[in-house]
PDB file of all heavy atoms in Angstrom:
ATOM      1  N   LYS A  17     -10.052  37.414  21.325  1.00 91.00           N
ATOM      2  CA  LYS A  17     -11.349  37.049  20.738  1.00 91.00           C
ATOM      3  C   LYS A  17     -11.181  35.930  19.709  1.00 91.00           C
ATOM      4  O   LYS A  17     -11.975  34.991  19.667  1.00 91.00           O
ATOM      5  CB  LYS A  17     -11.993  38.287  20.087  1.00 91.00           C
ATOM      6  CG  LYS A  17     -12.735  39.141  21.101  1.00 91.00           C
ATOM      7  CD  LYS A  17     -13.354  40.360  20.464  1.00 91.00           C
ATOM      8  CE  LYS A  17     -13.884  41.281  21.546  1.00 91.00           C
ATOM      9  NZ  LYS A  17     -13.992  42.669  21.054  1.00 91.00           N
ATOM     10  N   ALA A  35     -21.806  13.536  17.973  1.00 82.00           N
ATOM     11  CA  ALA A  35     -23.268  13.411  17.929  1.00 82.00           C
ATOM     12  C   ALA A  35     -23.750  13.069  16.525  1.00 82.00           C
ATOM     13  O   ALA A  35     -24.523  12.137  16.328  1.00 82.00           O
ATOM     14  CB  ALA A  35     -23.915  14.702  18.409  1.00 82.00           C
ATOM     15  N   HIS A  38     -21.078  10.155  14.681  1.00 69.00           N
ATOM     16  CA  HIS A  38     -20.888   8.933  15.472  1.00 69.00           C
ATOM     17  C   HIS A  38     -19.411   8.564  15.592  1.00 69.00           C
ATOM     18  O   HIS A  38     -19.045   7.406  15.522  1.00 69.00           O
ATOM     19  CB  HIS A  38     -21.671   7.757  14.882  1.00 69.00           C
ATOM     20  CG  HIS A  38     -23.135   8.057  14.785  1.00 69.00           C
ATOM     21  ND1 HIS A  38     -23.950   8.156  15.885  1.00 69.00           N
ATOM     22  CD2 HIS A  38     -23.928   8.319  13.718  1.00 69.00           C
ATOM     23  CE1 HIS A  38     -25.178   8.468  15.504  1.00 69.00           C
ATOM     24  NE2 HIS A  38     -25.202   8.579  14.207  1.00 69.00           N
ATOM     25  N   GLU A  49      -6.302 -11.537  31.539  1.00 91.00           N
ATOM     26  CA  GLU A  49      -5.064 -11.514  32.316  1.00 91.00           C
ATOM     27  C   GLU A  49      -3.903 -11.869  31.399  1.00 91.00           C
ATOM     28  O   GLU A  49      -3.854 -12.992  30.879  1.00 91.00           O
ATOM     29  CB  GLU A  49      -5.136 -12.542  33.461  1.00 91.00           C
ATOM     30  CG  GLU A  49      -5.830 -12.045  34.701  1.00 91.00           C
ATOM     31  CD  GLU A  49      -5.134 -10.822  35.300  1.00 91.00           C
ATOM     32  OE1 GLU A  49      -3.885 -10.793  35.329  1.00 91.00           O
ATOM     33  OE2 GLU A  49      -5.855  -9.899  35.720  1.00 91.00           O
ATOM     34  N   GLY A  63      -6.624 -19.843  16.199  1.00 97.00           N
ATOM     35  CA  GLY A  63      -6.833 -20.392  14.861  1.00 97.00           C
ATOM     36  C   GLY A  63      -8.108 -19.846  14.248  1.00 97.00           C
ATOM     37  O   GLY A  63      -8.675 -18.859  14.729  1.00 97.00           O
ATOM     38  N   PHE A  75     -20.854 -12.270  11.936  1.00 95.00           N
ATOM     39  CA  PHE A  75     -19.682 -12.594  11.113  1.00 95.00           C
ATOM     40  C   PHE A  75     -19.771 -14.044  10.662  1.00 95.00           C
ATOM     41  O   PHE A  75     -20.602 -14.818  11.164  1.00 95.00           O
ATOM     42  CB  PHE A  75     -18.371 -12.336  11.891  1.00 95.00           C
ATOM     43  CG  PHE A  75     -18.282 -13.055  13.212  1.00 95.00           C
ATOM     44  CD1 PHE A  75     -17.763 -14.343  13.289  1.00 95.00           C
ATOM     45  CD2 PHE A  75     -18.734 -12.449  14.378  1.00 95.00           C
ATOM     46  CE1 PHE A  75     -17.682 -15.002  14.495  1.00 95.00           C
ATOM     47  CE2 PHE A  75     -18.663 -13.117  15.604  1.00 95.00           C
ATOM     48  CZ  PHE A  75     -18.141 -14.399  15.657  1.00 95.00           C
ATOM     49  N   ARG A 100     -17.356 -12.443   5.978  1.00 95.00           N
ATOM     50  CA  ARG A 100     -17.088 -11.501   7.070  1.00 95.00           C
ATOM     51  C   ARG A 100     -16.235 -12.202   8.129  1.00 95.00           C
ATOM     52  O   ARG A 100     -16.655 -13.180   8.713  1.00 95.00           O
ATOM     53  CB  ARG A 100     -18.404 -11.016   7.684  1.00 95.00           C
ATOM     54  CG  ARG A 100     -19.292 -10.225   6.712  1.00 95.00           C
ATOM     55  CD  ARG A 100     -20.706 -10.162   7.239  1.00 95.00           C
ATOM     56  NE  ARG A 100     -21.195 -11.508   7.505  1.00 95.00           N
ATOM     57  CZ  ARG A 100     -22.232 -11.774   8.307  1.00 95.00           C
ATOM     58  NH1 ARG A 100     -22.878 -10.816   8.913  1.00 95.00           N
ATOM     59  NH2 ARG A 100     -22.617 -13.019   8.494  1.00 95.00           N
ATOM     60  N   LEU A 135     -13.384  -7.667   9.158  1.00 94.00           N
ATOM     61  CA  LEU A 135     -12.793  -7.431   7.853  1.00 94.00           C
ATOM     62  C   LEU A 135     -13.401  -8.401   6.852  1.00 94.00           C
ATOM     63  O   LEU A 135     -13.657  -9.557   7.186  1.00 94.00           O
ATOM     64  CB  LEU A 135     -11.283  -7.691   7.968  1.00 94.00           C
ATOM     65  CG  LEU A 135     -10.330  -6.861   7.144  1.00 94.00           C
ATOM     66  CD1 LEU A 135     -10.515  -5.384   7.432  1.00 94.00           C
ATOM     67  CD2 LEU A 135      -8.903  -7.259   7.448  1.00 94.00           C
ATOM     68  N   ASN A 163      -3.949 -15.848   4.175  1.00 97.00           N
ATOM     69  CA  ASN A 163      -4.238 -16.386   2.843  1.00 97.00           C
ATOM     70  C   ASN A 163      -5.735 -16.350   2.610  1.00 97.00           C
ATOM     71  O   ASN A 163      -6.507 -16.957   3.346  1.00 97.00           O
ATOM     72  CB  ASN A 163      -3.726 -17.821   2.726  1.00 97.00           C
ATOM     73  CG  ASN A 163      -2.210 -17.874   2.780  1.00 97.00           C
ATOM     74  OD1 ASN A 163      -1.538 -17.124   2.088  1.00 97.00           O
ATOM     75  ND2 ASN A 163      -1.688 -18.743   3.624  1.00 97.00           N
TER      76      ASN A 163
END
Side-chain angles (χ1 to χ4, degrees):
K17 277 179 189 157
H38 302 290
E49 276 300 319
F75 55 89
R100 297 162 306 161
L135 214 57
N163 293 312

